[in-house]
Structure formats: C-alpha cells, structure tokens
Amino acid sequence: MPVSRKHVRFNDDNIFYSPKSSPSLSDSSLPSSGDSSGPCTPPQNNYATLPLPDGPVAIHPLLAFHPFVPPIIWDASLPPHTLASNAHASPMSLPARVLEEPATQPSMHTMTLHIEQFPWRLVIPPKHYVSVRDLIEALYCFLRHPVLPSEYNSLPTQAHKDEVSIAFHNRCGHASSKEAADEQYQKGVKRVDFLRGRTRFMGLSSTKLGPDAWVVNLA
C-alpha cells in the first residue's frame, strides 16, 4: 500500500574502547560534518585542553550496548526523567548517585556521540567529567533540536522523507493533550524525527575514532 504523504512543518556490541583495535563502526561509516550539541548545551570551558585517556576505556554498565535486553528502559524521544532500570537485564536500581557516576572508566571530560546514518553528531562540551546523567540529558536535548528545511530536503529518497513525516506526525499525535500536540506541530520537525521511529535506547558501542567517540544504538 503506498504511503500517504503528510505535510511537515519547520521552525524558522562493544563496551570497551581499545587503542589497538575495535570491531565497531569505521571512520567512513560515521558522519563527518554537522557537529552539534543541541540547544541545551552550556558553553565550553577550560577543560577543553585536558588530554583523553591513552589506554582502554569501558562504558558505564547502564550505558553499555546490548542487542536484546538493554540495562535501562528509555525512549529517547521522551524526557530523561522517564528513564528506568531494566529488571530483566540487571538488578541495578537508579538512585541519583548512580546517574552522577562517570559515563566511562576512566572518566573523560568530553564525549562525542554518533548515530549511524545520522547527518549530525553530538559533542558533549568539556567539563570535570561526563556523568551518566550528563550523557542522557545531552542526547535528549540534541534530538530535540529543530531541523532546517534544507536538512529535510537533503534526505536521499522520497521514502526517507515520508518516514520522517510519519514520525513527526506520530510524535505530535502522542502528546498529552490537543494543546500540547498543536504546540509540537508548530515547533516543527526535530532531529528525533530523523530516527524514523527508532527511539528505543539500546546502549553505546565503541568506535575506532578514539576513546571519546561512541555510537548510540537505537531500535
């Protein structure tokens, strides 16, 4: 059955990084432009000059990629406070102190997150260390960033545009009230709509790009 085209609106398996090898995505499979940390990110500071770890780096257990049973349950289209632990994956609860733990061991002052076939990448600005909470909140803000008409028009096929349009209308339709839905519609297409419905957070995988570069897996 052909897809009914809807109008869209615009507003003006790896938990370790090893420096020797990494079987995750290669340089050529990741976006090379469009760096952005989204509208909620504070300005950078003096931590930008700190060196990154030169040895193996492990991701926090709550953020580790699992293809079937992720450690946490979170729809990345929803605010971070909706995040919950996955009892089927781990007995670990989510007290505030766990969310304040470093996102990696050893800790890092910045991280760059990639989403496969996504035209942007998220650079978390330097700070004392990136916590689990920092990463989740930065990813949510990054995905809430408005999309430009030129970015939408750059999608490779009409099928991609149709899927983004459907995701946009579905997101607006799932708002808590008609007023909220109208507000979301007026704000237009956002980066989260480019995920085309794949918003279930499945964890992070390492890359060959360095200890600070990780892939966000979604389903």
Side-chain angles (χ1 to χ4, degrees), residues 61 64-73 86-90 200-203:
F65 171 61
H66 194 292
F68 303 110
V69 187
I72 58 175
I73 299 173
N86 190 345
H88 296 288
S90 170
R200 184 187 179 197
F201 181 79
M202 302 298 288

Side-chain angles (χ1 to χ4, degrees), residues 110-123:
T110 184
M111 293 180 70
T112 300
L113 303 184
H114 303 266
I115 299 175
E116 192 172 6
Q117 298 182 344
F118 215 53
W120 311 278
R121 58 186 173 187
L122 164 60
V123 179

Side-chain angles (χ1 to χ4, degrees), residues 138-182:
L139 179 57
Y140 173 74
C141 290
F142 169 73
L143 293 174
R144 303 297 291 184
H145 198 286
V147 168
L148 299 174
S150 59
E151 294 171 328
Y152 175 80
N153 291 329
S154 69
L155 288 167
T157 67
Q158 185 60 50
H160 280 75
K161 294 177 182 178
D162 290 341
E163 290 174 358
V164 170
S165 175
I166 290 171
F168 166 63
H169 285 276
N170 285 343
R171 177 171 59 83
C172 295
H174 290 154
S176 58
S177 65
K178 183 180 183 304
E179 292 73 19
D182 291 342

